[in-house]
Amino acid sequence: MLTLILPGMTCGGCAAAIRQALAPLPGIAAVEIDLKDKRVQVAGEAKPEAVRAAIIEAGFEIAA
């Protein structure tokens, strides 16, 4: 399970954009998004660097 914090994720539209960005990646079993805590959890065999790259390409910053 990969957990990322996205400070700029504020609404359902953001969540939808993240899900859309991650959908084409191979190996993703599930994506859980918590808007309150600004947390994205990705389960599966997807490469963490590919997940991060897709989220950044969608226009979101990932907290260190």
Side-chain angles (χ1 to χ4, degrees), residues 2 4 21-22 25 47-60 62:
L2 175 64
L4 302 169
L22 295 177
L25 295 181
K47 295 182 179 182
E49 58 272 9
V51 171
R52 287 183 177 92
I55 290 172
I56 290 168
E57 189 173 312
F60 295 91
I62 300 170

Side-chain angles (χ1 to χ4, degrees), residues 1-5 39-42 52:
M1 174 91 53
L2 175 64
T3 301
L4 302 169
I5 304 297
R39 182 181 327 139
V40 176
Q41 292 183 311
V42 180
R52 287 183 177 92

